[in-house]
Amino acid sequence: QVQLVESGGGSEQAGGSLRLSCATSGFVYSRKCLAWFRQAPGNEREGVATIHTDSGFTTYGDSVKGRFTISQDSAKKMVYLEMNSLKPEDTAMYYCGAAGPMFGSTCPGERDAYHVWGQGTQVTVSS
């Protein structure tokens, strides 16, 4: 059974940091794209960051570049999102998504490319 389980969300003040984790199971980890998306109430689900499990190539949404870092532990089949310099506009439900097999070395940023999702973890940033 393919499963993604997010954790690590919570409440933080502006300028603070949080680290999200995504535990993956039930599928071959290689040749996959793993991504973090977020969705605030009334908004579309937007891409935050992606990572290719084989190449390690990463991409970031413009609003988080320089503040967020996506990483992985292939042995544990875990993906992380380190979020620094948090802003109130980062408040959203954060979702981990998986796509693949991917035969290139980069990952798509479009939500529709990801076919497996976790249940999400809430991040709330207060000013």
Side-chain angles (χ1 to χ4, degrees), residues 51-75:
I51 187 165
H52 193 286
T53 59
D54 287 6
S55 70
F57 190 84
T58 59
T59 65
Y60 295 92
D62 288 341
S63 61
V64 306
K65 281 180 182 176
R67 300 189 297 123
F68 291 10
T69 302
I70 189 171
S71 62
Q72 64 175 339
D73 184 329
S74 300

Side-chain angles (χ1 to χ4, degrees), residues 16-127:
S17 300
L18 283 172
R19 188 192 196 209
L20 306 184
S21 299
C22 174
T24 75
S25 62
F27 60 88
V28 175
Y29 191 79
S30 66
R31 288 186 176 174
K32 296 296 191 295
C33 282
L34 296 172
W36 288 97
F37 282 73
R38 66 186 182 186
Q39 188 168 18
N43 289 358
E44 296 280 328
R45 189 172 294 192
E46 67 166 337
V48 175
T50 71
I51 187 165
H52 193 286
T53 59
D54 287 6
S55 70
F57 190 84
T58 59
T59 65
Y60 295 92
D62 288 341
S63 61
V64 306
K65 281 180 182 176
R67 300 189 297 123
F68 291 10
T69 302
I70 189 171
S71 62
Q72 64 175 339
D73 184 329
S74 300
K76 295 182 179 179
K77 298 183 179 181
M78 296 282 295
V79 178
Y80 305 98
L81 185 70
E82 186 74 35
M83 305 187 295
N84 298 315
S85 301
L86 284 165
K87 303 176 181 180
E89 50 263 45
D90 294 320
T91 296
M93 186 72 80
Y94 283 70
Y95 297 92
C96 180
M102 309 300 290
F103 295 99
S105 59
T106 60
C107 292
E110 300 79 17
R111 179 190 62 185
D112 290 346
Y114 295 83
H115 50 86
V116 180
W117 295 96
Q119 83 289 348
T121 185
Q122 178 68 37
V123 171
T124 302
V125 183
S126 58
S127 57

